[in-house]
Amino acid sequence: MLNVENLIVSHGPIEAVHGISFAVDKGRCVSLLGPNGAGKTSTISALMGVVKSSGRITFDGADVSSLPVEARVQAGMSVAPEGRRIFSNLSVEENLVLGGATRSDRTAKDADIAHWLETFPILGERRDQPAGTLSGGEQQMLAISRALMTRPKILLLDEPSLGLAPKIVSQIFQMIERLKAQGITILLVEQNATQALRLSDYAYLLNNGRIVAEGTKETLGQSSALMAELTGIA
Ligand SMILES: Nc1ncnc2c1ncn2[C@@H]1O[C@H](COP(=O)(O)OP(=O)(O)O)[C@@H](O)[C@H]1O
Ligand SMILES: [Mg+2]
């Protein structure tokens, strides 16, 4: 579904990602794991076309490398960005409405909003509340639901567990597991290797802008211990 070949991402003179290659098959959950500064967000930003990159990104059979952000969303890519970036002053429901702003199928869009508010009852109970009044975990749920409002073929999650208490982290990973069970293809970017590996079919370990290991949770063995050491999250 998603194929990335020799991706290089630079921020001005600083090269953050030095030519990485990875793939996400349809219906799978694949993790990109790495410590702070590894190049995870740079990679996600390049996939969405928010930052310039070189290399080849093919998605759903088409080369999207040179497409603008809107076209990539149209093609079926969506992201729940690092730090959630919800609209704090808008209600939960309004955030979801904005998530579907690129869609013109009004009735189906309304049905999707109802669907996600029902799927995640905490959001349903708070539908008219300003999103800024939600807890961190609830805001993350909203950010993910908002990303789903475009009906993506692939959902990119940039550190969904960042800054959340362990109990809430478990809830977020349960939510991701439910989405996976619904057949949504997921690229999960995380520092929390242990939790992410649990629900991933395959994982890549990123360090200093390079993939240093890849495999399943069974085959990664020592490498996942290394990752735990690098991130400080056991
Ligand atoms: N906008 C930017 N300008 C300059 N350097 C950046 C910018 N964004 C990220 N970097 C640098 O690129 C590297 C990778 O950062 P990032 O992709 O955010 O890593 P991660 O998401 O894994 O923490 C870091 O060294 C970071 O300082
Ligand atoms: Mg990041």
Side-chain angles (χ1 to χ4, degrees), residues 199-214:
L199 61 127
S200 298
D201 300 294
Y202 202 80
Y204 297 86
L205 308 188
L206 191 66
N207 196 25
N208 292 323
R210 289 195 171 81
I211 289 173
V212 293
E214 62 176 272

Side-chain angles (χ1 to χ4, degrees), residues 16-18 33-43 206-210:
V17 176
H18 315 295
L33 309 171
N36 237 338
K40 304 183 299 298
T41 298
S42 300
T43 301
L206 191 66
N207 196 25
N208 292 323
R210 289 195 171 81

Side-chain angles (χ1 to χ4, degrees), residues 103-114:
R103 289 171 57 179
S104 51
D105 52 343
R106 182 66 200 273
T107 314
K109 200 161 86 176
D110 288 348
D112 280 5
I113 291 174

Side-chain angles (χ1 to χ4, degrees), residues 118-165:
E118 210 168 285
T119 305
F120 305 112
I122 292 172
L123 297 181
E125 286 162 27
R126 290 159 176 65
R127 70 185 297 158
D128 299 320
Q129 235 170 275
T133 64
L134 302 182
S135 70
E138 291 160 359
Q139 290 188 15
Q140 185 60 59
M141 275 188 197
L142 178 60
I144 296 173
S145 301
R146 184 183 59 185
L148 289 164
M149 281 303 298
T150 60
R151 288 202 181 176
K153 293 180 185 146
I154 191 167
L155 177 64
L156 314 178
L157 300 173
D158 194 351
E159 294 211 46
S161 79
L162 191 69
L164 301 177

